[in-house]
Amino acid sequence: MIKNDCIFCKMAAGQVPVTKIYEDEIVLAFLDIGPVSDGHTLVIPKQHFEKLHDCPQQLLGQVGSCLGRIARAVEVAMSSDGYNVLCNNGRAAGQLVEHLHFHIIPRNSGDGVFNRWPAYKYQQGKIEEIAAKIRRSL
Ligand code: AMP
Ligand code: ZN
């Protein structure tokens, strides 16, 4: 499954240059051209799926098993204190490229990346109500 106007499909097909980190038949990993920190890496399935839940389970498992290995390499190579794995799904969630991808973002203590995490508390009874709603959608 390849989408003609998709930049990541073109990368997977070797039609657009990438700074490659890793490649096999299923997965491509390359450096993000707009990094949040040095070593910011993107991991994609070569096939085109828009969102996480569009990707068949088995393929997602194969991508996921590469993800840990690549994340470790990024952390070691960048001597970072940690990393975030981020997957934006949908425009509202910040997905600009509509081809499933995982960001691996090296992090260092006090680096200020993702400084704001707007957490709040549920009002009484709301947490169970929401959990039940999600369970019904499974
Ligand atoms: P997202 O907002 O989750 O869709 O992230 C898309 C990411 O793709 C951004 O961080 C971009 O910097 C990155 N990106 C877009 N075009 C390229 C490209 N040609 N090479 C490498 N990274 C890219
Ligand atoms: Zn694509």
Side-chain angles (χ1 to χ4, degrees):
M1 261 176 286
I2 300 287
K3 202 166 168 249
N4 282 337
D5 58 347
C6 172
I7 178 97
F8 286 2
C9 281
K10 287 186 178 151
M11 288 174 174
Q15 293 164 359
V16 165
V18 290
T19 310
K20 197 187 294 178
I21 299 290
Y22 174 81
E23 182 175 21
D24 61 25
E25 308 89 78
I26 310 279
V27 170
L28 176 67
F30 53 94
L31 289 185
D32 193 308
I33 42 157
V36 170
S37 62
D38 283 355
H40 181 164
T41 298
L42 298 176
V43 180
I44 65 167
K46 286 186 169 176
Q47 282 188 54
H48 184 92
F49 302 101
E50 187 178 332
K51 292 181 180 170
L52 186 68
H53 64 258
D54 296 325
C55 186
Q57 253 178 357
Q58 196 197 346
L59 184 58
L60 196 55
Q62 289 169 301
V63 177
S65 62
C66 282
L67 207 50
R69 183 169 160 231
I70 297 165
R72 182 187 165 277
V74 170
E75 186 184 59
V76 168
M78 302 318 297
S79 303
S80 62
D81 299 329
Y83 56 88
N84 294 103
V85 175
L86 183 67
C87 178
N88 298 325
N89 290 270
R91 193 50 67 95
Q95 184 178 17
L96 298 176
V97 178
E98 291 175 344
H99 180 130
L100 174 62
H101 55 279
F102 296 89
H103 297 256
I104 299 171
I105 302 171
R107 297 294 308 278
N108 286 298
S109 305
D111 62 14
V113 177
F114 305 128
N115 246 350
R116 199 171 153 269
W117 184 264
Y120 59 89
K121 297 217 183 314
Y122 284 115
Q123 287 181 346
Q124 186 89 32
K126 193 81 180 170
I127 193 164
E128 265 315 318
E129 189 187 308
I130 288 175
K133 204 168 169 183
I134 297 171
R135 283 195 296 265
R136 283 196 300 274
S137 303
L138 279 175

